[in-house]
Amino acid sequence: MDIAAAKAALAHLELDENPTSIRAKSRDFFWYSPVLKARLDHVTADFVISPRSEAEVIEVLRVCHAHGVPVTVRGAGTGNYGQAMPLAGGCVLHMKNMVAIKAIAPGRVICEPGIVIRDLDAATRAHSGQELRMCPSTAATATIGGFIAGGSGGVGSVRWGALRDLGNIIRLRVVTMEAAPSVLEFTGEELHRVSHAYGTNGIITEVEMPLAPAYDWLGVFVTLPDFAAAAQFGADLARQDGILVKLVTVCEAPVADAYFQRFKGRVTAADHVVILMVAPHAMDGFLTFAARYPEAQVIYRSDAHDWPRDPGVAYEYGWNHTTLRALKVEPSITYLQVRYAGPDFLAKIAAVRARFGPELMQHLEVMREGGQVIYAGLTLVRFTTEDRLEEIVRIHEDLGCMIFNPHRYTLEEGGRQSVDDRQLAFKREADPQGLLNPGKMIAWDVPDWAYQGIYAYAGLRAAE
Ligand code: FAD
């Protein structure tokens, strides 16, 4: 790795050599995990480059390839699994300047990857009353490229499913890491090569995403005195195909009372809360539905309320914002990502809940999967030790619940604990020297890894 030669060859681009900002651009939200915090806190790149065009991306990759310099691409660095952390140092390729919107048409938008999702939504809304089908709860800061390469779904998944479900990405344009980088366009099955691949096998330089009609979504909060009833309420609502909702979040008591500051005085420690985004024209249908659940109390709707302090947008109480709010109040809190699927998903949630006491607090998000309603759990965990966390993971798995482990920095361990052959095969073509975001794809480093215990990337730079 010849850092000095690479920097000299790229000095005419937007090159950041300031150690403080290099360190800042080398970090993401890995620290949500005490396990990753202990291992990755010291990680830093050698320099940061912010390309202004695809041509500059190609130049950076060509030069870094020639000098054996690793390249880790960064959107906004809001990922949770250490996805954007340059484990072996080298170059952070910051996409902040690649924000152009190239075309908006009925049902689709074409843009560069570095645009912040909220800005993209504002533009499609102003252009023709359209918005992205789904976004992470970090829409205000995260980029569309980072969402495609690192995210999985979020606000809108109750209607549209997961980001990688067919039709939720239309086309991606990708630059490879070779002596002479190629530019490739992927659609259909080929999208899986690079979507949710953490930038380990190509840099996305253009995206084409489907759009849906935009609404002035109403935030609605509902309390129920019983958690099982709250989970049932959320699942039943999501199955009401005529009632358009964009978010169904269920938080076990006392999450809202303990961690949502602006809910103070509006909920008690015994209230389980369902947080919703409802289309304005669906409010009548929703209120009719809610009236069938005598214990459900609508305590807030964003278009008519008397709360002294506006609680803000509903989606910033859902997905991983729930975790963020909890750990701001109680720093020992971390989380797990659980998939509760199958016809008995509510029974699985009940079994998990029965197995643990206050060590775990349930936080559920409705998702659509293959036409069915399922719950994703972003369970809040009061962390004690790594061993106990491992035990909690095993207990979930024994109860038939799949865990996507957010305390790991590799694609495989954060996913289904198996190799994605399409991603691996494409990495062999597109990054033959293994320079893109090294350490994140176990199958590249240790093909026969047995998934027992945390994978420790041998190339992880030691702390100084
Ligand atoms: P980064 O963190 O910068 O990057 C993510 C990954 O993508 C990295 O591996 C990076 O190398 C790669 N990458 C970035 N740009 C490119 C590119 N152009 N080409 C190739 N690879 C690239 N995630 C969800 O899916 N749903 C949620 O609802 C959600 N809620 C969150 C809430 C909070 C409070 C936090 C902290 C995180 C949440 N996340 C969620 C995770 C994260 O915010 C999202 O996945 C987000 O979309 C990542 O975008 P980013 O621009 O910050 O990407």
Side-chain angles (χ1 to χ4, degrees):
M1 177 182 346
D2 190 341
I3 297 288
K7 275 166 60 174
L10 296 169
H12 58 292
L13 303 184
E14 189 176 321
L15 172 67
D16 188 345
E17 299 182 81
N18 177 310
T20 309
S21 75
I22 293 174
R23 182 165 156 73
K25 299 287 171 357
S26 301
R27 299 165 76 76
D28 61 14
F29 279 69
F30 73 104
W31 52 266
Y32 265 40
S33 161
V35 177
L36 297 186
K37 172 107 170 110
R39 286 163 175 78
L40 304 186
D41 206 27
H42 66 283
V43 163
T44 187
D46 294 286
F47 62 98
V48 178
I49 293 210
S50 305
R52 293 183 187 84
S53 63
E54 182 181 270
E56 289 192 3
V57 171
I58 292 171
E59 190 176 356
V60 174
L61 297 191
R62 186 178 52 73
V63 168
C64 287
H65 182 275
H67 297 291
V69 173
V71 173
T72 301
V73 59
R74 176 183 184 86
T78 66
N80 298 103
Y81 297 66
Q83 296 169 340
M85 299 193 61
L87 302 187
C91 171
V92 162
L93 189 72
H94 192 197
M95 304 305 278
K96 66 172 186 177
N97 295 325
M98 291 187 61
V99 297
I101 297 175
K102 298 187 172 174
I104 304 171
R108 63 180 72 205
V109 60
I110 300 173
C111 64
E112 290 185 329
I115 188 166
V116 169
I117 291 169
R118 188 166 67 181
D119 298 343
L120 181 57
D121 258 349
T124 54
R125 192 176 271 264
H127 175 274
S128 44
Q130 302 186 85
E131 63 183 18
L132 289 169
R133 287 178 174 178
M134 71 187 74
C135 63
S137 63
T138 43
T141 47
T143 66
I144 188 68
F147 186 42
I148 291 167
S152 51
V155 187
S157 288
V158 58
R159 167 73 182 79
W160 296 101
L163 182 61
R164 295 183 92 197
D165 288 351
L166 292 180
N168 282 336
I169 303 170
I170 299 174
R171 181 179 58 88
L172 298 174
R173 189 173 162 93
V174 176
V175 177
T176 65
M177 180 74 171
E178 299 170 274
S182 318
V183 182
L184 306 170
E185 299 248 347
F186 293 147
T187 56
E189 298 288 0
E190 291 178 339
L191 291 167
H192 291 297
R193 293 175 173 184
V194 288
S195 62
H196 202 79
Y198 294 5
T200 55
N201 55 13
I203 308 300
I204 298 165
T205 53
E206 186 177 284
V207 315
E208 184 168 347
M209 295 296 281
L211 299 175
Y215 295 101
D216 293 326
W217 297 95
L218 300 179
V220 179
F221 307 151
V222 179
T223 57
L224 288 110
D226 175 61
F227 179 75
Q232 186 75 55
F233 179 91
D236 290 351
L237 174 60
R239 290 193 193 100
Q240 291 286 335
D241 292 333
I243 301 176
L244 188 57
V245 293
K246 194 167 179 181
L247 178 78
V248 178
T249 302
V250 181
C251 294
E252 182 178 5
V255 169
D257 182 58
Y259 308 128
F260 299 169
Q261 302 295 339
R262 300 208 175 170
F263 282 56
K264 286 270 176 249
R266 300 281 163 166
V267 291
T268 70
D271 283 327
H272 307 275
V273 175
V274 183
I275 293 160
L276 305 166
M277 283 167 71
V278 182
H281 64 270
M283 262 318 263
D284 280 351
F286 166 71
L287 292 172
T288 309
F289 166 86
R292 294 180 183 168
Y293 296 75
E295 293 191 318
Q297 299 291 325
V298 176
I299 59 163
Y300 170 86
R301 49 184 286 180
S302 56
D303 60 342
H305 69 91
D306 61 353
W307 287 34
R309 294 178 72 203
D310 192 298
V313 290
Y315 64 78
E316 289 187 354
Y317 292 91
W319 293 90
N320 236 339
H321 268 78
T322 316
T323 320
L324 181 61
R325 289 182 190 276
L327 62 76
K328 274 186 182 165
V329 176
E330 208 176 310
S332 70
I333 283 182
T334 188
Y335 77 118
L336 285 178
Q337 286 193 219
V338 193
R339 178 172 170 272
Y340 298 109
D344 60 342
F345 69 96
L346 289 173
K348 282 181 182 146
I349 295 166
V352 167
R353 197 158 168 264
R355 184 70 175 69
F356 297 95
E359 188 179 17
L360 262 58
M361 288 165 280
Q362 294 299 321
H363 158 209
L364 306 171
E365 296 288 344
V366 172
M367 292 191 69
R368 183 125 349 217
E369 187 183 81
Q372 306 295 317
V373 163
I374 69 161
Y375 268 121
L378 285 84
T379 314
L380 299 175
V381 179
R382 292 197 165 96
F383 178 76
T384 47
T385 65
E386 287 191 20
D387 286 346
R388 176 59 183 160
L389 195 58
E390 290 302 300
E391 198 177 2
I392 293 170
V393 168
R394 275 199 306 279
I395 293 169
H396 278 79
E397 289 170 345
D398 291 347
L399 291 169
C401 310
M402 183 182 280
I403 297 277
F404 300 91
N405 197 334
H407 305 283
R408 300 288 190 267
Y409 54 77
T410 61
L411 278 159
E412 292 94 335
E413 295 164 295
R416 292 174 181 245
Q417 322 254 320
S418 59
V419 182
D420 186 323
D421 290 326
R422 296 164 298 192
Q423 292 181 346
L424 177 62
F426 184 57
K427 188 168 173 73
R428 291 199 178 107
E429 280 174 44
D431 179 27
Q433 288 196 51
L435 291 170
L436 286 179
N437 206 354
K440 306 290 171 60
M441 191 189 280
I442 302 178
W444 179 265
D445 299 328
V446 185
D448 57 355
W449 177 253
Y451 300 102
Q452 283 164 357
I454 185 167
Y455 174 69
Y457 171 50
L460 177 67
R461 276 191 175 176
E464 284 172 9

